[in-house]
Amino acid sequence: MFHGGTNPKGAAGFLNEGQTPKRSYDFQAPLGEFGQVRESYRRLRTLHEFVKAFGPELAGMPVSLQDGQDRIDPSDSETLRYAVRSDGERGFVSIDNFQDHARVPSRHGEQIDVTTGTGERIRFTGIGLAEGENCILPFNMDLDGVRLVRANLQPVTVLRVPGRPFRTFVFLKPDGMDELTFHFEGDIQDVTVGKADFERFMVRDAAEIVCVTRALAGRMTVLDGGLAFVDDDNALLYEDGDGWTLESPRAENGIAAYPEGLLGSPRPVEPVSVYARLRRLHADRYEIALPAGMGRLFRDQRQVADVMLNIAYQGDIGWLFCGDVLIADNFCNGETWQVGLRDYADAIDAAGGKLTLVVTPLRRGVRVKVTSSMAARLEQSDACVADVTDVYATPVYHMPVGK
């Protein structure tokens, strides 16, 4: 699932009555239930740009698993996981330093040998990857007449900048890579880049290469003829019918563009302050007080896209009510629970600005005792955890971006 959502309430009850949340249908999707930008979204966007640029070429390349890769046990944290896709002459090596439900340590000093259909052996050296990192490395890649024999950086996209006789190839620096090197054919000197967020160089007069870090790539948007970089991981730049719009929890934001001047700055907005006051009513029940006039806030302050209620809690399940209506629920996963309030603003006003938060305790060391031959049963636990450590509200602004 790419974008989370909220389940409607059916005429006879909730659509989900089992072992999943009744209202929230988020499941840590790349774009959250209320439009939150998550790390998986930033990583997927980079991968999507790669597929857009190189997908037709990649799709025709069969997969080759080498050196027993098809026999790696999930519990094996020592063997480097990789696969090759190639048309026999050129292709890509996909490396993954991640395994579900297991910790895979960072890698250093690895090497990978690839043999092409013509018998040419290409050796990738200086391979390193941070824990949880992955990358796609090219070999025998055509850079508009220049052969890139191999690179320890991942291609992302190709740009045609207006007025330039050459194209720009954008590469990503994988986290933890030991040697960030481009190795070219013939007498073209190898190029090793550093760890700066943004670097660029020319390969003769044939092509420009731009290199960005993983962190900067996550804040990058590919434009027609260039790149734009927001200055906040939680900001989202997107194109709508009227041009470009930036959505951010900050009232002041910056955008860098390459080439410079390709995109203007976001129009500043007037910040608003929204408080959220917490009062404990019972061991597992809390009252959250919000300002009066939440509905008016969204009607009068058009730059406010939403107000995110952030709930840091410990327990099993969180339930958020407006009056007697369940508006959101959450299975605690250790992350701060976020609820967008825009769609409930008028209902919150009608309830006097009050929400009720209920936390179902997480029971540790549960034991079930059957006390009779009937259905009676008694649950005992070593500890019950139900606590709210913080509640605060964060406005989310949207602002037009000029060119």
Side-chain angles (χ1 to χ4, degrees), residues 55-308:
E57 181 180 355
L58 181 72
M61 295 179 174
V63 177
S64 172
L65 296 178
Q66 301 178 359
D67 300 326
Q69 288 288 317
D70 56 341
R71 298 187 298 275
I72 297 178
D73 189 272
S75 63
D76 180 357
S77 62
E78 300 299 323
T79 304
L80 183 67
R81 292 154 164 79
Y82 70 95
V84 177
R85 295 189 72 149
S86 173
D87 62 5
E89 178 184 356
R90 60 181 61 86
F92 302 94
V93 180
S94 300
I95 313 174
D96 188 9
N97 196 33
F98 172 82
Q99 174 64 53
D100 273 333
H101 311 299
R103 182 173 182 180
V104 180
S106 60
R107 303 282 181 181
H108 297 286
E110 301 276 0
Q111 70 177 35
I112 295 174
D113 288 334
V114 176
T115 302
T116 68
T118 60
E120 177 190 13
R121 189 179 74 170
I122 298 173
R123 172 165 289 179
F124 287 84
T125 58
I127 299 294
L129 282 182
E131 179 182 348
E133 180 64 300
N134 57 72
C135 63
I136 303 171
L137 308 183
F139 61 91
N140 285 343
M141 183 178 182
D142 179 21
L143 302 182
D144 291 342
V146 173
R147 185 163 76 105
L148 176 61
V149 178
R150 58 178 170 83
N152 287 5
L153 295 87
Q154 174 175 320
V156 177
T157 192
V158 186
L159 305 174
R160 173 68 74 181
V161 178
R164 294 183 178 180
F166 52 83
R167 294 196 299 170
T168 298
F169 293 79
V170 182
F171 286 79
L172 176 152
K173 304 175 182 180
D175 286 342
M177 185 62 70
D178 291 346
E179 299 176 9
L180 295 167
T181 301
F182 295 85
H183 179 67
F184 300 97
E185 182 184 39
D187 60 352
I188 302 178
Q189 187 174 359
D190 291 355
V191 176
T192 299
V193 296
K195 297 183 178 180
D197 279 344
F198 184 96
E199 298 180 67
R200 55 177 291 269
F201 63 91
M202 291 294 301
V203 184
R204 291 182 172 169
D205 294 326
E208 178 188 45
I209 291 182
V210 165
C211 306
V212 296
T213 57
R214 167 71 73 180
L216 189 60
R219 302 194 299 269
M220 180 176 74
T221 299
V222 178
L223 310 176
D224 184 14
L227 306 169
F229 304 92
V230 298
D231 61 1
D232 185 348
D233 283 346
N234 296 308
L236 182 63
L237 179 67
Y238 59 91
E239 192 172 18
D240 55 25
D242 299 322
W244 290 93
T245 296
L246 181 70
E247 191 168 292
S248 170
R250 291 167 27 186
E252 293 186 11
N253 297 267
I255 295 179
Y258 182 77
E260 188 176 348
L262 186 64
L263 203 63
S265 299
R267 188 178 304 166
V269 298
E270 189 70 26
V272 299
S273 178
V274 181
Y275 65 77
R277 299 188 178 126
L278 183 69
R279 183 167 69 97
R280 194 164 200 159
L281 304 175
H282 190 264
D284 61 354
R285 191 174 298 264
Y286 301 80
E287 177 187 88
I288 299 175
L290 298 164
M294 289 289 289
R296 187 173 64 253
L297 169 69
F298 292 111
R299 287 189 290 271
D300 295 348
Q301 305 290 338
R302 296 302 177 90
Q303 78 274 19
V304 179
D306 208 338
V307 171
M308 210 66 69

